[in-house]
Amino acid sequence: MAGPGRGMGGPMGRGFLTEEEKANKPKVTWPLLKRILSYLKPYWKQLVIVLICIVLSSALSLLPSVLTGRIIDDGLIKQDMKMLIILIVLSLGVTLGANLIRVAESYLNNWIAQHITFDMRNKMYRHLQQMSQGFFTSNNQGDIITRMTSDISGVERVVTSTFTSILSNTITLVAAVVIMFKENWILALVGVAVIPLFTIPTRWAGKTRWSLTQESQECNDEVNGILNETLSVSGQLLVKLFGKEEYEFARYKDVNHRMIKLNIKESMAGRWFMVIINTFSSVGPMLLYLVGGILMMKYNSTLTVGDITVLVALLGKMYGPVNSLLNIQVEWIRSMALFTRIFEYFDMPIEIKTAEDAILPKAAKGNVRFEHVEFAYSEERKILKDVNFELESGKSIAIVGPSGSGKSTLINLIPRLYDVCGGRVTFDGVDVRKIDLKFLRDNIGIVSQETYLFNGTIRENLLYAKPDATEEEIIEACKKANIYEFIQKQEKGLDAVVGNRGLKLSGGEKQRISIARVLLKNPALFIFDEATASLDSISESKIQEAIDPIIHSRTSILIAHRLSTILAADEILVIKDGVIAERGVHADLVKQGGTYAELYETQFGKALEAE
C-alpha cells in the first residue's frame, strides 16, 4: 500500500460486480481464510514489517495537514520567521519520511506477493503435471492456462492491493476522524456529514463507466474475432476463394464504428464524472469555511484560521479511503473468488500416481497381458469390455478395427494414461498399478499419429528422450528412423530449428524424428498408434522402412491401416465395439469372412494392389 486511497475501486477501476460474479459469489468460510493465510505464514516476519510500515506511513501522511495549521497560526499570522522555518522543515521531513517508509513497504509487499505467487505457480504446475490424461481431454486448455497464469497473477494484486488497502485506508480514515474531532467537534460533524455527498456521484459515474467499458470490451472482442478469422492464412484464403472481401470489410467497418462510438461515450462519461467530483469536492471545504467563519465571527470561538485549514486538509484526506472502503466488498468478493478458483484445481484428486507400495523392477522385458479389462470414459458408454490377450517379449501384435472401436484407448491403458475400470493390465507379470509409474513409462515408447515436437532444434527434441545421449547414439537412432539423410541436408544439421510444433517440417519428417526419439529412449515395449496415417505414399514408405526392423526385433504393438505393417505382426487382434471380435493371422481371418475380411476388402485391398 503506497498511501491513503490506494486500491480505490472507483469509476476508473472495476468497482462493480458483473452478473456472472454476482451469481458465483464464493462462500467465505474460516477454512477458506485459514487456507489463504497458510500461504502468508512462511513470510510472517516480512508481513509484520509491512504492517508496521503501513501504520507509520498512514499516520505520518496526516501530520503535514496538522502542521499546516501551525504554519498559518504560529508562523504566518504571528509573523514568527524562526517558527515558520522550523514548521516548514518539519513538514517536509515528515512527508519525506512517510514516502520513504512507503517505498520500503511497497518493496516488501511486492516481495511477499512475488514469493507467494512463485510458490503457487510451482505447486500448480507440479499438480497439473500429475493429473491424468483424462483431465486434459475433458477440461478446456484455455481454462487450464488461465488458472496457471491470470488467476495466480491475480493473487499478486490481492496481496499488494486489496489486503493492504483495507488496513491502510482504515488507519487513515480513523486517524483523520479522531484528529478532526480533537480540533473541533462541530466542524468534524459537518465534514463527516458531507462525505456521503462525495460518494454518490462516484458510485453513479463508476457504474455508468463500468457498463460502457463492458460494452466496449465486448465490441473489441468482436473486432479481434473478425481479424483472427479473416486475416489468418486459412481464413484469408477462404475469403478470396468465395469473393467475400467487400462483405468482410463491411462487417469489420460496422463493428469498428460501434466501438468508436462506445469509446467516445466512455471518455465523455469520465469527463462528466470529473466535473461532478470536482464540484462535490469543493462543497465540503466551502461548508467548513462557512461554519468555521460563523463560529469565529458570531460566537467568538477560540477556533483559528489554522484550525479550519487543518480540518479542510483532513477532510480531503478522507475522500480516497472512504471511496476505497465502500468498494472493498467488490474487491473482497473478487479476491475470494480468485482463491476459490485456484483451490478448486488444487483439490482435484490425482487419479493416477505411483502406489505407496509400488514395485521398482531392475529391468523390463516388455511382456503385456490384458485380463478381463473393462474401461469407460463415462458411465453412459463402455469403451472396452472384457478384453483379454497376451503379448510375449520379442513378439508383435497388430490391432485393427473400425474408427471409434477402442484401439487407441486400449494401448493408453498400458502406460497408465488412464486406469482400467475393471480387470487388470500387467507388465512383466505385475499389475501396472503396482509398478513405479516412472519406471513403467520409461520402458514404453509410443509413436502416435499426431507427433508433437517442441519449438527447438532437432537435437533438443531428440535429447528429450535421453538427455545424456552421445552424438553417436543420436546419429544411430536417426539412421534407424530413416531420417538421418534428411538431417544431413539441413544447413545446421541436428541443430536445425523445427519451429512451433515442428511446423517447418513435413508430416513424414516429424514422424521419423518422433521414431528416432523413441528409439533413443530404448524402451522394452514399442507402440505405434497409426504412425503412418494421413501421410503421402512416399513419407509412408520411408516410415514403414523405419518401423519394419523394429517390429521384427522388438516387443511391439501396432495400430495400423497399412496392410504390410499388419502382415508383419505375429498376431492380429480385431477390435469391434470394445471387444476382441476376432484374432489370428491374416490368412485365417480373411477366410472367416468377418469384420477383418470386411476391413481387408474396403481398406486394405487397394493398399495391397498398390503394393
Side-chain angles (χ1 to χ4, degrees), residues 105-163:
E105 175 253 310
S106 179
Y107 170 79
L108 280 173
N109 217 358
N110 279 284
W111 187 92
I112 294 169
Q114 291 294 337
H115 280 74
I116 288 173
T117 53
F118 173 80
D119 296 340
M120 293 188 95
R121 283 194 186 103
N122 287 342
K123 184 177 179 180
M124 180 69 83
Y125 188 73
R126 172 57 61 87
H127 185 69
L128 290 175
Q129 279 187 317
Q130 295 174 316
M131 297 303 289
S132 69
Q133 194 68 10
F135 168 82
F136 293 98
T137 55
S138 60
N139 285 279
N140 183 283
Q141 186 181 13
D143 187 55
I144 295 172
I145 299 299
T146 298
R147 305 283 176 118
M148 185 71 204
T149 54
S150 302
D151 285 359
I152 294 181
S153 295
V155 171
E156 180 185 336
R157 293 190 295 273
V158 171
V159 175
T160 57
S161 179
T162 304
F163 290 162

Side-chain angles (χ1 to χ4, degrees), residues 477-544:
C478 290
K479 286 180 178 178
K480 288 181 179 179
N482 205 11
I483 191 65
Y484 188 60
E485 185 180 340
F486 164 77
I487 293 172
Q488 283 184 307
K489 292 179 181 178
Q490 304 305 301
E491 184 179 348
K492 294 185 178 180
L494 284 166
D495 295 314
V497 177
V498 301
N500 187 29
R501 298 177 65 92
L503 288 176
K504 292 185 178 181
L505 307 175
S506 70
E509 290 157 359
K510 287 192 293 184
Q511 197 64 283
R512 281 178 282 155
I513 288 175
S514 176
I515 294 172
R517 184 165 59 187
V518 173
L519 284 167
L520 205 57
K521 184 181 181 182
N522 193 30
L525 173 66
F526 281 79
I527 298 175
F528 296 92
D529 186 1
E530 297 194 282
T532 60
S534 304
L535 296 176
D536 60 85
S537 57
I538 296 175
S539 297
E540 187 177 8
S541 176
K542 289 183 178 180
I543 290 173
Q544 194 62 45

Side-chain angles (χ1 to χ4, degrees), residues 458-470 474 520:
I458 295 173
R459 184 192 304 278
E460 287 169 342
N461 275 281
L462 293 173
L463 289 176
Y464 198 74
K466 188 180 180 182
D468 59 346
T470 63
I474 294 174
L520 205 57

Side-chain angles (χ1 to χ4, degrees), residues 50 63 98 138 171 228 378 427 435 442 555:
V50 167
L63 276 179
S138 60
I171 292 171
N228 287 330
S378 63
F427 189 79
I435 301 176
D442 281 347
T555 310

Side-chain angles (χ1 to χ4, degrees), residues 343-470:
F343 293 155
E344 184 181 286
Y345 263 36
F346 281 151
D347 291 339
M348 286 184 178
I350 299 172
E351 297 172 344
I352 296 176
K353 57 184 176 182
T354 298
E356 292 182 5
D357 57 345
I359 298 169
L360 181 59
K362 292 183 179 179
K365 296 179 181 178
N367 294 318
V368 176
R369 186 181 179 90
F370 275 60
E371 300 176 1
H372 305 290
V373 169
E374 306 271 345
F375 181 79
Y377 291 110
S378 63
E379 295 181 2
E380 291 76 23
R381 187 171 69 95
K382 279 191 174 183
I383 304 299
L384 299 176
K385 310 162 192 172
D386 195 29
V387 173
N388 295 275
F389 74 87
E390 183 174 3
L391 172 64
E392 296 179 0
S393 178
K395 299 290 185 178
S396 60
I397 284 179
I399 301 175
V400 300
S403 178
S405 58
K407 303 187 296 295
S408 295
T409 299
L410 186 145
I411 62 169
N412 285 337
L413 297 176
I414 304 172
R416 292 189 68 198
L417 296 181
Y418 300 92
D419 270 342
V420 297
C421 298
R424 69 174 192 157
V425 177
T426 67
F427 189 79
D428 290 344
V430 181
D431 191 320
V432 291
R433 292 168 293 186
K434 292 291 185 180
I435 301 176
D436 180 83
L437 191 57
K438 187 176 187 308
F439 175 85
L440 177 69
R441 291 176 178 172
D442 281 347
N443 283 282
I444 298 173
I446 299 180
V447 178
S448 61
Q449 180 180 344
E450 294 185 12
T451 300
Y452 191 95
L453 297 180
F454 292 107
N455 188 7
T457 64
I458 295 173
R459 184 192 304 278
E460 287 169 342
N461 275 281
L462 293 173
L463 289 176
Y464 198 74
K466 188 180 180 182
D468 59 346
T470 63

Side-chain angles (χ1 to χ4, degrees), residues 34 44 103 141 231 263 271 289 369 379 528 562:
K34 190 176 179 181
W44 70 269
V103 171
Q141 186 181 13
L231 296 185
N263 287 340
R271 293 292 180 269
Y289 286 134
R369 186 181 179 90
E379 295 181 2
F528 296 92
R562 187 180 175 90

Side-chain angles (χ1 to χ4, degrees), residues 41 125-126 176 183 199 201 233 235 291 345 446 465 532 554 576:
K41 189 176 179 181
Y125 188 73
R126 172 57 61 87
E183 289 288 331
T199 61
V233 175
V291 176
Y345 263 36
I446 299 180
T532 60
R554 308 293 286 270
K576 185 178 181 181

